Amino acid sequence: MDINKVAELANIMKQNGLTKLELTEGESRLVLESAKSETVVAPIVQEVAQTAPTPKEQPKVVVADDLYEQKTPLVGTVYLASQSGAAPYVCVGDHIHAGETICIVESMKMFNQIAAECSGIIEEICVSDAQIVEYGQTLFRIKED
């Protein structure tokens, strides 16, 4: 669960005078409760992960040694195109140059262009459009020139 989202929910609770908020997203459940005292109102955060059946064998992801992993430098929402319905910045098989914009990450209402850190061919796009990404998460795998 994204910590910025939790902070935003706690803010919404405080602004609206709510004492409890429950949110279920996928297999995670988040419960926010505010403990009120005479001078302090502090949210209490408790996240409960539901146990999901796990397969006996997890598939192993093998990444070739010659692929460069372009990672996100910040937390936010990744956009693979400049606007909804527009062509994506890059597709698998595209040749890119270092410094070329390959996606946008929206963080705190700011749109940050993410530039390619190397030149090469896009081998894999590891995220989907409008997906929330964490700091250091792999966005693309690039076969360097």
Side-chain angles (χ1 to χ4, degrees):
M1 175 121 345
D2 181 17
I3 193 71
N4 291 332
K5 189 173 185 178
V6 173
E8 186 177 332
L9 291 170
N11 243 354
I12 291 169
M13 282 181 58
K14 185 177 178 183
Q15 290 172 352
N16 294 299
L18 300 174
T19 57
K20 186 172 182 177
L21 176 71
E22 290 187 37
L23 175 69
T24 302
E25 200 174 64
E27 295 180 7
S28 295
R29 181 172 163 248
L30 177 71
V31 178
L32 295 175
E33 291 185 40
S34 64
K36 293 191 178 190
S37 69
E38 293 179 25
T39 57
V40 178
V41 176
I44 300 171
V45 178
Q46 173 187 15
E47 184 172 349
V48 181
Q50 297 174 350
T51 55
T54 56
K56 291 183 181 177
E57 277 189 41
Q58 296 284 341
K60 294 183 181 179
V61 178
V62 179
V63 178
D65 290 336
D66 62 342
L67 295 182
Y68 178 81
E69 290 189 340
Q70 172 94 31
K71 298 177 187 272
T72 179
L74 56 147
V75 174
T77 304
V78 67
Y79 295 103
L80 301 176
S82 59
Q83 61 186 13
S84 182
Y89 287 104
V90 294
C91 297
V92 172
D94 286 355
H95 186 273
I96 59 167
H97 300 284
E100 181 179 336
T101 299
I102 55 176
C103 67
I104 294 175
V105 175
E106 178 188 7
S107 180
M108 299 180 70
K109 308 286 184 197
M110 298 285 296
F111 290 89
N112 304 281
Q113 293 184 347
I114 305 300
E117 295 171 353
C118 66
S119 295
I121 297 173
I122 300 289
E123 290 289 319
E124 183 181 358
I125 299 174
C126 305
V127 293
S128 56
D129 193 46
Q131 176 181 332
I132 295 174
V133 292
E134 298 294 329
Y135 174 79
Q137 183 174 344
T138 302
L139 299 171
F140 302 92
R141 290 196 175 95
I142 304 166
K143 183 170 183 148
E144 294 184 81
D145 287 339

